Amino acid sequence: MLKERLRSDLTTAMKARDQTRVATLRMALTAVANAETAGTEHRDLSDDEVMDVLVRETKKRRESAEAFDGAGRSELAERERAEEQVLAGYLPQPITDDELAALVAAAITETGADSMRAMGQVMKVVQPQVGSRADGKRVSTEVKRQLSS
């Protein structure tokens, strides 16, 4: 399980005294624990659900780094980027632009979409195929590009 891998990697990082990795993995495990206890009863998350938590945390780090850069706090932005890199090691390889374009083209053909009004239908087909390998914003940009041409 991915959660067990995170725990064992945390132990290894603690032994190696890698403070950035320790802090990042603790934060990730806390986010997973919060997701497990959210709602009315405790439940164990599947690997896919743990992956979703890690994707959310990675996105938070990216957005925080951009905000810190905008505020002129480069040292904090670098720390956020370092945490993002640690989390990226647990995520699947990002989808390439060519793969994304091919998936969107196939979805447009499948749905018969011919205008921007059908963007939602195309997104419903593409998003499950892409999963956590691409950001939703990136997918929607590609759908818009192909539907407008």
Side-chain angles (χ1 to χ4, degrees), residues 116-132:
M116 288 300 288
R117 278 189 251 143
M119 182 177 171
Q121 294 171 339
V122 176
M123 289 293 290
K124 283 181 187 176
V125 173
V126 174
Q127 205 59 36
Q129 295 173 353
V130 171
S132 61

Side-chain angles (χ1 to χ4, degrees), residues 26-140:
R26 280 184 175 157
M27 171 275 312
L29 286 167
T30 300
V32 169
N34 288 340
E36 287 178 335
T37 59
T40 57
E41 62 184 55
H42 181 276
R43 64 186 182 86
D44 287 332
L45 297 181
S46 68
D47 277 354
D48 289 338
E49 292 169 321
V50 172
M51 188 67 65
D52 291 341
V53 170
L54 293 179
V55 167
R56 279 195 308 270
E57 292 300 319
T58 303
K59 184 176 179 182
K60 284 180 189 177
R61 298 299 163 280
R62 187 176 323 114
E63 290 170 352
S64 294
E66 291 170 6
F68 284 135
D69 276 337
R73 303 290 307 266
S74 61
E75 69 282 350
L76 293 174
E78 287 304 315
R79 188 178 77 201
E80 294 292 327
R81 283 193 189 88
E83 290 178 0
E84 181 184 353
Q85 289 303 312
V86 170
L87 292 174
Y90 297 94
L91 301 178
Q93 288 291 77
I95 193 167
T96 65
D97 290 338
D98 294 337
E99 290 173 319
L100 181 60
L103 284 173
V104 170
I108 289 172
T109 303
E110 179 184 328
T111 60
D114 58 354
S115 69
M116 288 300 288
R117 278 189 251 143
M119 182 177 171
Q121 294 171 339
V122 176
M123 289 293 290
K124 283 181 187 176
V125 173
V126 174
Q127 205 59 36
Q129 295 173 353
V130 171
S132 61
R133 294 179 61 206
D135 187 49
K137 183 177 180 181
R138 185 173 160 217
V139 175
S140 70

Side-chain angles (χ1 to χ4, degrees), residues 7-28:
R7 283 189 183 128
S8 69
D9 288 353
L10 174 61
T11 303
T12 304
M14 289 170 82
K15 289 178 182 176
R17 299 193 191 299
D18 185 348
Q19 294 304 317
T20 301
R21 194 166 190 78
V22 168
T24 304
L25 292 175
R26 280 184 175 157
M27 171 275 312

